[in-house]
Amino acid sequence: MSWNNGGPWGNMGGGGNNPSNNSGGGRGPNRPMGNNNQEPDIDEWLRKSREQIRQAFPGNQGSPRRLISIGIVAIILIWLASGFYQVSTNQIGVVLRFGQVVRMEQAGLRYHLPEPIEMVLLPDVKSIRQIKIGFRDTGVDSDSNLSVDGESRMLTGDENIVDIGFSVFWSVKNAEDYLFNMRNPDLTVRLASESAIREIVGRMQIQPILTEKRSEIERETTTLVQAMLDEYKAGIVVTQVQLLNVTPPLPVVDAFNDVQRARADGERLRNEAEAYRNDIVPRARGEAAKMLQDAEGYHDQVISYAKGDAARFESVLAAYQQAREVTATRLYFEAMETVLKSANKVLIDPAISKGGAMPILPLQDFVRNRATAP
């Protein structure tokens, strides 16, 4: 440098060009570098720097060409290092080479050739996403959700109108289809779900929709939406369709509730009638079975008696044909025994009544008193 030719710390002699030396009035002591009263020797500092670089790269180092080569190598290394990337547990790495999918990478530290040769997309394939149709959250509670009539009002099969708010839960099934076959996945799922549920509700009556068909609607909507998305090759799986509110339109809610109460009363009365029927019918059937069994027993008894009487008559007939007088007398005695067995009897000695006078005595009272006496 033109102003410092005296060594690494400058020429501190009085013949130098430094104005500070002129003001000192003579030769002063040498001072270390960094002293505010002495300028550093830049040439010496550059020389030492080149020497250090030369020592770091032995050989013919330090030349500009060599430094350029080292810089290029460093840039290449940095470019190659930019290919490292991390795939989280809920992601999948879709590696593209010049815009074409070449492989899928699972969770972990991965590497791809740096851009523009290869690039990677990291879609979230594990998270469950939710789309709300027919209502929007107000951020307060579920009762204060804002209804969207254009989405919630649907025409039923019996030409009634019903308000339906529901949520669709979905996730990614195929990352490649999800990334490249749809421009707006949320809008696609929303439109497919709304179309599917309108088709299903349009085939049903309003009463089943409001009462016992909710599970069936959820199940059929899930199946139909999935079929539509698979046809589009959307790469999406619908995990659940959940109906949140199914109500008639607000102006007819009171009338509809009256109908519901009447239906509930009718259902209660029908259940009571069925309970009474279930109680009385089995008892009636039991009594009928008992009467039938009694009748069958009487039938068998009468036939048995008739057969016995016929056999007895045939035996008496045979005996009568063999000995008519004896059999007739025996039959007479048996008939009198049967007739007089329970009758009150009075025996009169013929010798006493031979005189013609018939004594009148209260014999019947006498016999009755004897029978009741202790």
Side-chain angles (χ1 to χ4, degrees):
M1 302 293 287
S2 59
W3 46 271
N4 190 2
N5 296 324
W9 307 111
N11 188 2
M12 305 304 294
N17 299 324
N18 194 336
S20 60
N21 292 334
N22 297 331
S23 60
R27 184 182 181 94
N30 292 335
R31 296 181 179 179
M33 184 175 178
N35 191 313
N36 293 331
N37 298 324
Q38 184 176 10
E39 293 294 337
D41 190 344
I42 300 302
D43 290 340
E44 182 64 18
W45 181 80
L46 291 176
R47 188 186 61 78
K48 287 186 176 182
S49 298
R50 286 195 297 271
E51 183 65 24
Q52 290 175 355
I53 295 174
R54 189 179 299 107
Q55 292 176 358
F57 298 95
N60 189 19
Q61 299 89 349
S63 64
R65 183 178 298 176
R66 184 64 178 174
L67 293 177
I68 293 173
S69 300
I70 293 172
I72 293 173
V73 171
I75 292 173
I76 292 174
L77 292 177
I78 295 173
W79 178 71
L80 291 176
S82 65
F84 288 99
Y85 64 98
Q86 179 73 31
V87 181
S88 63
T89 55
N90 60 339
Q91 293 177 332
I92 188 168
V94 181
V95 180
L96 307 179
R97 181 176 299 164
F98 299 115
Q100 184 176 3
V101 177
V102 292
R103 64 181 182 277
M104 302 285 182
E105 297 289 356
Q106 301 299 322
L109 181 61
R110 305 295 176 182
Y111 181 79
H112 67 84
L113 295 178
E115 297 182 4
I117 299 175
E118 288 184 350
M119 62 177 297
V120 62
L121 300 176
L122 301 172
D124 188 346
V125 298
K126 297 293 181 61
S127 299
I128 302 298
R129 300 167 174 83
Q130 180 183 9
I131 294 179
K132 299 173 182 176
I133 301 176
F135 71 98
R136 299 292 184 273
D137 286 338
T138 58
V140 180
D141 53 31
S142 58
D143 295 334
S144 61
N145 289 336
L146 180 62
S147 177
V148 181
D149 295 341
E151 296 179 355
S152 64
R153 291 196 174 177
M154 303 178 188
L155 186 64
T156 63
D158 53 354
E159 298 182 352
N160 286 301
I161 295 176
V162 63
D163 283 341
I164 297 179
F166 64 102
S167 295
V168 180
F169 298 90
W170 61 276
S171 62
V172 177
K173 180 175 64 176
N174 186 301
E176 182 177 354
D177 293 341
Y178 172 75
L179 290 173
F180 304 111
N181 289 348
M182 289 188 304
R183 177 175 297 177
N184 190 333
D186 287 339
L187 180 60
T188 303
V189 175
R190 175 182 296 279
L191 294 178
S193 301
E194 188 174 346
S195 175
I197 198 169
R198 286 185 186 279
E199 178 181 343
I200 293 171
V201 170
R203 299 197 301 255
M204 295 182 176
Q205 306 290 319
I206 186 173
Q207 186 59 36
I209 293 173
L210 297 173
T211 53
E212 72 271 11
K213 292 293 185 179
R214 294 171 62 100
S215 299
E216 183 177 345
I217 293 173
E218 293 176 347
R219 185 172 57 256
E220 292 187 1
T221 302
T222 303
T223 303
L224 185 56
V225 173
Q226 187 63 60
M228 296 171 66
L229 295 175
D230 290 343
E231 185 177 357
Y232 300 152
K233 295 183 179 180
I236 289 175
V237 57
V238 178
T239 59
Q240 183 184 9
V241 173
Q242 183 181 21
L243 298 183
L244 299 179
N245 63 291
V246 182
T247 59
L250 187 59
V252 299
V253 168
D254 293 337
F256 180 81
N257 290 335
D258 292 338
V259 174
Q260 290 296 104
R261 285 192 287 269
R263 290 181 184 276
D265 293 339
E267 186 70 19
R268 178 178 55 80
L269 294 175
R270 182 166 57 251
N271 292 335
E272 292 178 357
E274 289 180 353
Y276 177 73
R277 183 193 63 181
N278 294 334
D279 177 63
I280 197 66
V281 169
R283 288 196 294 171
R285 288 177 178 171
E287 293 178 358
K290 180 176 179 300
M291 293 176 66
L292 183 59
Q293 291 177 355
D294 292 344
E296 290 177 350
Y298 177 74
H299 169 267
D300 296 339
Q301 180 183 7
V302 169
I303 291 176
S304 299
Y305 285 163
K307 289 181 178 178
D309 292 343
R312 179 175 175 275
F313 177 79
E314 289 176 353
S315 64
V316 172
L317 178 61
Y320 180 77
Q321 290 175 349
Q322 292 177 0
R324 293 191 175 189
E325 291 297 331
V326 175
T327 303
T329 303
R330 185 174 62 82
L331 291 176
Y332 174 77
F333 286 156
E334 290 179 355
M336 290 298 103
E337 181 181 4
T338 303
V339 171
L340 299 176
K341 183 177 180 179
S342 58
N344 295 327
K345 296 176 284 295
V346 178
L347 299 179
I348 300 175
D349 189 358
I352 298 176
S353 60
K354 185 181 290 184
M358 177 67 70
I360 298 174
L361 296 174
L363 299 178
Q364 295 181 350
D365 297 337
F366 175 75
V367 173
R368 186 179 303 109
N369 293 333
R370 289 188 59 185
T372 58

